[in-house]
Amino acid sequence: MASKEGRNMRDPLIQKSSRKNESLWMVYLSTFVAVCGSYVFGCGVGFSSPTQDAIREDLSLSLAEAMRLSSAICAAGWLAIYLAKGAEALDIGRLATGYGMGVFSYVVPVFISEIAPKNLRGALATLNQVMICGGASVSFIIGTFLTWRALALTGLVPCAILLFGLHLIPESPRWLAKTGHEKDFEVALQKLRGNDADISEEAAEIKEYIETLDRLPKVKFLDLFQRRYLRSVIIGVGLMVVQQFGGINGVAFYASNIFKSAGVSPSVGTITYAILQVVVTLLITQVIDRAGRKPLLLVAGSGLVLACMIIGLSFYLKLYIGSFSAGMGAVPWVIMSEIFPVNIKGIAGGFATLVNWFGAWSVSYTFNFLMSWSSYGTFLVYAAVNALGIVFVLKVVPETKGRTLEQIQAAING
């Protein structure tokens, strides 16, 4: 039944937009505020690496609304870490920051994709990954000379910017339209496109698409596997599987040990790794809307396969991190934020994010066991996963550059 209703949903979405006099300062401000959440995420990722020994010594430990709420919880978590007098408070603080990181990992790219014009969506959504890398890198570097308590306080800065900035920017127009706030929807869209921009065509396109979705029954988790949604779910979840099971978190969390075994200074190697990740990801923001998502995924996947097959680990690690940052790090999140229709975005996006974090845990947990079994064999396993990822991208993943969210979703799910 890619029926009349499907055709009616697609036809008006193929028209090109001819809006003029767009003023994008509110889009840029909104993106900046949103990616402060990504920076908080990065701070959480980067906190433990430079501070874990000091924390254990100081505390005598053995070895043994979405973004606002998350920001407040993260801020509370950082304060709990700063004030910790024992293991319990430290655990509560890390649990709170972990909760916030999990929400930010999904909400930030989706928010950016829903406010950005189609010609800037890829670049702006990629800033999510840039800020995650930046937060982790800055935390690692300044954590080498700040105490762990002082480092926890630096995590409050992006939280404060985010909490304040959310009062200055509009809500997602697509969310407002979906929840029936029609007047607020048009005001928000006008703010994001500029007072002199003609938003009538874009507004009509969004409303028509959402009206079509509203005629569908309310979605439950098992509904994701219906034929009309299955392709977008396969794409979103499949990219997360390839991203994580290609080995990135094993490499990232044990980078110091890998550098040491390769005869490279762990501190110099890890700082180089952190800087390289930020620089390459930043470069991707300049080309993702011109080159497209699919070519970047294919280039990154090929580099990861090659890197995994090179025996010399000191050379391998630089190539691996550069290849991952060139596509497989940021692009799956960009595509995931684009492909799900509004009525399943929460459930489907949450499912894809859960798969991503499960993959991160699985790879980081099994990495040392695999390395004990065979260091070369470990990277051959990761090479095989990345090779399958190339096939998956070629056969299943669509190109989404230069298309509105409604056009993308109608093409995939129509």
Side-chain angles (χ1 to χ4, degrees):
M1 216 173 113
S3 60
K4 189 168 176 189
E5 181 177 277
R7 286 195 302 274
N8 289 341
M9 185 165 67
R10 283 195 296 268
D11 291 344
L13 304 181
I14 322 178
Q15 300 168 9
K16 300 224 176 208
S17 173
S18 56
R19 295 186 303 277
K20 295 180 181 177
N21 302 318
E22 286 191 352
S23 174
L24 298 174
W25 71 270
M26 182 56 77
V27 171
Y28 294 133
L29 175 62
S30 300
T31 300
F32 169 73
V33 171
V35 296
C36 284
S38 307
Y39 192 88
V40 175
F41 183 161
C43 289
V45 172
F47 178 79
S48 293
S49 184
T51 63
Q52 52 191 334
D53 290 337
I55 290 173
R56 284 176 38 224
E57 184 179 337
D58 199 15
L59 298 183
S60 303
L61 304 183
S62 69
L63 274 175
E65 222 129 290
M67 286 194 290
R68 184 181 286 110
L69 176 63
S70 299
S71 187
I73 291 173
C74 278
W78 289 123
L79 284 172
I81 292 170
Y82 173 73
L83 297 170
K85 301 297 183 186
E88 294 80 9
L90 187 68
D91 287 342
I92 290 169
R94 289 300 273 167
L95 181 64
T97 55
Y99 171 84
M101 287 161 55
V103 175
F104 283 136
S105 67
Y106 170 65
V107 172
V108 172
V110 168
F111 177 78
I112 293 171
S113 75
E114 291 193 353
I115 65 168
K118 62 183 180 182
N119 61 314
L120 291 174
R121 192 176 58 242
L124 295 179
T126 303
L127 288 176
N128 170 57
Q129 189 73 15
V130 172
M131 292 294 276
I132 291 171
C133 297
S137 300
V138 170
S139 291
F140 183 85
I141 293 168
I142 66 175
T144 59
F145 56 84
L146 286 181
T147 67
W148 66 270
R149 292 186 190 274
L151 185 61
L153 285 181
T154 66
L156 294 173
V157 176
C159 292
I161 295 173
L162 183 61
L163 285 170
F164 174 73
L166 286 170
H167 294 289
L168 305 178
I169 64 175
E171 181 56 86
S172 160
R174 287 175 171 85
W175 181 83
L176 291 169
K178 176 70 174 67
T179 53
H181 296 81
E182 188 165 332
K183 188 173 179 183
D184 293 336
F185 155 68
E186 293 182 355
V187 169
L189 189 59
Q190 192 73 67
K191 258 189 182 180
L192 288 165
R193 299 297 178 257
N195 292 331
D196 298 326
D198 179 7
I199 63 167
S200 58
E201 185 180 342
E202 184 177 12
E205 185 177 304
I206 292 171
K207 282 194 280 191
E208 180 180 354
Y209 187 73
I210 286 176
E211 284 168 7
T212 303
L213 292 176
D214 282 343
R215 291 196 290 270
L216 299 175
K218 189 173 180 181
V219 175
K220 297 176 182 175
F221 178 74
L222 291 179
D223 294 333
L224 297 181
F225 304 100
Q226 291 179 4
R227 186 173 179 179
R228 68 161 63 98
Y229 303 129
L230 189 57
R231 189 173 176 223
S232 62
V233 171
I234 289 172
I235 293 167
V237 172
L239 285 173
M240 296 306 177
V241 168
V242 174
Q243 183 194 68
Q244 291 301 329
F245 286 92
I248 182 58
N249 276 299
V251 171
F253 293 156
Y254 298 100
S256 293
N257 291 338
I258 295 174
F259 278 119
K260 189 173 180 180
S261 67
V264 178
S265 164
S267 58
V268 172
T270 309
I271 290 173
T272 303
Y273 151 82
I275 293 171
L276 180 64
Q277 202 175 22
V278 174
V279 170
V280 174
T281 307
L282 198 54
L283 289 174
I284 293 307
T285 66
Q286 306 301 310
V287 300
I288 188 169
D289 284 313
R290 282 177 285 179
R293 283 61 157 161
K294 204 163 177 175
L296 290 176
L297 286 171
L298 293 172
V299 168
S302 301
L304 289 168
V305 172
L306 178 61
C308 288
M309 303 203 52
I310 294 172
I311 302 174
L313 286 179
S314 60
F315 173 70
Y316 147 74
L317 197 55
K318 295 170 191 170
L319 176 59
Y320 185 98
I321 296 304
S323 298
F324 182 83
S325 300
M328 201 55 74
V331 178
W333 291 105
V334 174
I335 292 178
M336 187 271 294
S337 70
E338 296 173 324
I339 59 176
F340 297 131
V342 174
N343 64 321
I344 68 164
K345 191 163 277 189
I347 298 176
F351 179 45
T353 304
L354 176 65
V355 170
N356 184 280
W357 282 103
F358 174 76
W361 171 80
S362 299
V363 170
S364 57
Y365 181 78
T366 59
F367 184 78
N368 275 337
F369 296 110
L370 287 170
M371 288 291 282
S372 299
W373 161 63
S374 168
S375 57
Y376 185 62
T378 299
F379 296 114
L380 279 181
V381 170
Y382 295 153
V385 172
N386 286 302
L388 290 172
I390 293 174
V391 176
F392 178 78
V393 171
L394 278 171
K395 298 289 187 183
V396 180
V397 178
E399 180 54 70
T400 60
K401 73 167 183 174
R403 304 164 79 184
T404 67
L405 295 183
E406 288 70 34
Q407 288 171 336
I408 295 166
Q409 292 156 16
I412 294 174
N413 301 295

